[in-house]
Amino acid sequence: MDLLSSYNLIIEASVIIILSFWFNGISKKTNIPSVLMLIVLGIILQYVLKYFVPETLDFSGGLELLGIVGLIMIVLEAALELELKREKLVPILKSMAIALIGLVGSAWVAALILFQFIPEMSMQSAWLYATPLSILSSAIIIPSVSGLSEAKKEFHIYESTFSDIMGIMMFYYLIGGLNPAEDAGAAGFAGNLILTIVIGLVASYAIILIFQQIKSQAKLFLLIAVLLLLYAIGKKFHLSSLIIILIFGLVIANVKLFFPGKMAVFLENEKLNQIYHELHIITLETAFVVRTFFFVVFGLSIAITSLFSFNVALISLLIVVSIYAIRFLILKVFVGKDILPQLFVAPRGLITVLLFYAIPTEAQVENFESGILLFVIIATSLVMTWAMIKDKKKMSTLLDEIDEEYKERNEAEDILREKKESDLIEKNESNSEPTEEPEGT
């Protein structure tokens, strides 16, 4: 049976998308991330493929391509959701600070653990391996926090988006340090960042002004193609390309802020609103499809046997514990007492895998088990699932208590109203009784 023939591939891809849609429905009801179900599906397919296709298939190229496109779509999707208002400046800055401190703190502790427990691991390589393990997964977080309060949901969207972007920048900054001849240092990194922001703003203004003039209906995939082109060219010039995508999303989602006063005359609001809403839908759908195949292919490529290694379990558990310990301290300082379920919403996912496969050959360590990656992803996702289910039950209990309180209050009001009506009837009856005339009149 040729599983890799054209028609079979179409059938298999279609079934995977249908299953992914079903997994999303299960995820909403149970709070189990659909990502975990997709990875498990990939692992099952791995053994099915081994039975029908004896030779080992290399999915690394496809995984990298899916990861890059998925990353762009997820960041764009998140940026389109972000409203930049004066009253949101403090939450944005707070989320950015938490994301940055959490990223650097988690990476530092994870690097120490990897350096200590894995032979031949240099501290420089340890930092490179630790960075992907320290980045929050917006691909998992954003769909999972829809049931939280508006403030908490907003916090998680900001934090996970900033963690993605700053984590990628930190990773490629560390890669630059592998080659001292090409390493521009902190000043060069800052210059690169400023240049990327300027290019992002210029490109965003140009795209908006040009695309609102295009009359063809089929222009949204052209827009996505332009964004992918900008990202790839930016990477070729060693820019932080993801910032270009983020800036474009922010500009088109907040056009009134970026086109103030007399600049608003250049906008055609009706066309821009149409582009924004259609782009939002296409980005959402594309991110769903790409994320689906990315995690299935990851499940296909992972070595499941490495999970049963004691060393893998020990290292992974130490990293997971350090993630929540550092997060607890940061949230206590920046947020205060109300840190649930935010404390446990710290899953690792798409970017963790993508950057792991982007580690340069000269920094790779043969003794590093990929099972650590899978273990940390599964463990942090399960912890988040437990926290979200617990929070959902807590909210249900709280709502039940409120309903009971309203019910008791309504019953008391009904009793009081009935008593008043009864007293009023008795008073009216007593007033309507005829008074007896005195005798002798």
Side-chain angles (χ1 to χ4, degrees), residues 135-202:
I135 301 172
L136 298 173
S137 174
S138 59
I140 299 176
I141 290 174
I142 292 172
S144 301
V145 298
S146 56
L148 297 180
S149 66
E150 194 61 34
K152 289 184 179 182
K153 182 172 74 173
E154 204 170 62
F155 163 74
H156 285 301
I157 291 172
Y158 288 138
E159 185 199 18
S160 60
T161 304
F162 288 133
S163 181
D164 284 354
I165 293 164
M166 292 188 292
I168 291 167
M169 289 169 61
M170 177 174 160
F171 180 79
Y172 284 104
Y173 174 73
L174 291 169
I175 285 179
L178 292 173
N179 188 351
E182 296 180 5
D183 185 18
F189 179 74
N192 178 291
L193 181 60
I194 293 167
L195 178 61
T196 306
I197 292 170
V198 171
I199 291 172
L201 285 169
V202 171

Side-chain angles (χ1 to χ4, degrees), residues 16 37 40 50 55 60 66 97 109 140 148 160 168 215 282 288 320-321 347 393 416 436 441:
I16 287 170
M37 295 181 246
V40 171
K50 281 180 182 176
E55 65 269 16
S60 57
L66 284 169
V109 175
I140 299 176
L148 297 180
S160 60
I168 291 167
K215 294 179 181 179
I282 286 182
F288 164 74
V320 169
V321 169
K393 286 180 179 177
L416 187 62
E436 296 181 2
T441 58

Side-chain angles (χ1 to χ4, degrees), residues 87-251:
E87 60 269 23
K88 292 187 178 181
L89 182 61
V90 173
I92 289 172
L93 292 176
K94 187 185 287 187
S95 301
M96 187 184 290
I98 291 170
L100 179 60
I101 297 169
L103 171 70
V104 176
S106 298
W108 175 58
V109 175
L112 291 174
I113 292 168
L114 294 174
F115 178 72
Q116 188 68 35
F117 286 93
I118 298 178
E120 301 177 10
M121 177 74 79
S122 67
M123 199 61 195
Q124 191 175 31
S125 293
W127 269 95
L128 268 174
Y129 277 90
T131 300
L133 292 167
S134 306
I135 301 172
L136 298 173
S137 174
S138 59
I140 299 176
I141 290 174
I142 292 172
S144 301
V145 298
S146 56
L148 297 180
S149 66
E150 194 61 34
K152 289 184 179 182
K153 182 172 74 173
E154 204 170 62
F155 163 74
H156 285 301
I157 291 172
Y158 288 138
E159 185 199 18
S160 60
T161 304
F162 288 133
S163 181
D164 284 354
I165 293 164
M166 292 188 292
I168 291 167
M169 289 169 61
M170 177 174 160
F171 180 79
Y172 284 104
Y173 174 73
L174 291 169
I175 285 179
L178 292 173
N179 188 351
E182 296 180 5
D183 185 18
F189 179 74
N192 178 291
L193 181 60
I194 293 167
L195 178 61
T196 306
I197 292 170
V198 171
I199 291 172
L201 285 169
V202 171
S204 299
Y205 278 105
I207 289 170
I208 287 172
L209 294 174
I210 293 169
F211 271 79
Q212 69 179 357
Q213 301 301 324
I214 297 175
K215 294 179 181 179
S216 171
Q217 293 296 316
K219 59 186 175 186
L220 288 172
F221 275 103
L222 173 63
L223 175 54
I224 288 172
V226 170
L227 292 175
L228 290 172
L229 181 65
L230 284 171
Y231 180 89
I233 292 173
K235 277 293 174 190
K236 288 287 184 183
F237 286 95
H238 306 290
L239 300 175
S240 303
S241 296
L242 208 59
I243 291 178
I244 298 173
I245 307 299
L246 176 69
I247 288 172
F248 172 75
L250 290 174
V251 171

Side-chain angles (χ1 to χ4, degrees), residues 423-436:
D423 291 344
L424 186 61
I425 290 169
E426 287 178 7
K427 185 178 178 182
N428 288 337
E429 285 176 353
S430 63
N431 289 337
S432 64
E433 289 178 2
T435 53
E436 296 181 2

Side-chain angles (χ1 to χ4, degrees), residues 43-89:
I43 291 169
I44 293 168
L45 291 176
Q46 180 184 147
Y47 288 96
V48 172
L49 271 176
K50 281 180 182 176
Y51 181 78
F52 289 102
V53 186
E55 65 269 16
T56 304
L57 299 174
D58 183 15
F59 293 102
S60 57
L63 195 64
E64 184 180 3
L65 179 61
L66 284 169
I68 292 169
V69 176
L71 181 60
I72 292 168
M73 291 298 109
I74 288 163
V75 170
L76 182 57
E77 180 190 349
L80 292 172
E81 295 278 357
L82 300 180
E83 286 185 88
L84 299 179
K85 293 181 179 178
R86 186 173 294 178
E87 60 269 23
K88 292 187 178 181
L89 182 61

Side-chain angles (χ1 to χ4, degrees), residues 312-375:
V312 166
L314 177 62
I315 293 170
S316 303
L317 281 172
L318 288 172
I319 290 172
V320 169
V321 169
S322 71
I323 286 169
Y324 295 111
I326 291 166
R327 190 164 177 79
F328 174 79
L329 293 173
I330 295 168
L331 290 177
K332 271 293 182 184
V333 171
F334 283 92
V335 178
K337 292 182 180 179
D338 186 18
I339 60 172
L340 296 176
Q342 302 97 295
L343 170 62
F344 300 109
V345 181
R348 274 52 179 162
L350 189 147
I351 295 179
T352 299
V353 181
L354 176 62
L355 295 186
F356 172 75
Y357 285 104
I359 294 173
T361 308
E362 60 267 29
Q364 290 178 10
V365 178
E366 288 185 14
N367 292 331
F368 183 86
E369 295 276 4
S370 60
I372 294 171
L373 208 66
L374 183 59
F375 197 107

Side-chain angles (χ1 to χ4, degrees), residues 252-353:
I252 199 166
N254 301 272
V255 284
K256 289 181 181 178
L257 178 67
F258 288 93
F259 286 83
K262 293 182 179 180
M263 287 182 70
V265 298
F266 296 106
L267 300 178
E268 296 185 31
N269 291 319
E270 191 176 334
K271 289 184 179 179
L272 272 179
N273 286 335
Q274 185 184 357
I275 291 172
Y276 170 77
H277 290 298
E278 290 179 358
L279 182 63
H280 206 294
I281 292 167
I282 286 182
T283 303
L284 193 69
E285 296 282 357
T286 309
F288 164 74
V289 172
V290 173
R291 188 164 53 224
T292 293
F293 286 109
F294 177 85
F295 284 109
V296 169
V297 172
F298 175 60
L300 278 165
S301 61
I302 200 72
I304 195 70
T305 51
S306 62
L307 280 177
F308 303 104
S309 163
F310 173 77
N311 200 42
V312 166
L314 177 62
I315 293 170
S316 303
L317 281 172
L318 288 172
I319 290 172
V320 169
V321 169
S322 71
I323 286 169
Y324 295 111
I326 291 166
R327 190 164 177 79
F328 174 79
L329 293 173
I330 295 168
L331 290 177
K332 271 293 182 184
V333 171
F334 283 92
V335 178
K337 292 182 180 179
D338 186 18
I339 60 172
L340 296 176
Q342 302 97 295
L343 170 62
F344 300 109
V345 181
R348 274 52 179 162
L350 189 147
I351 295 179
T352 299
V353 181

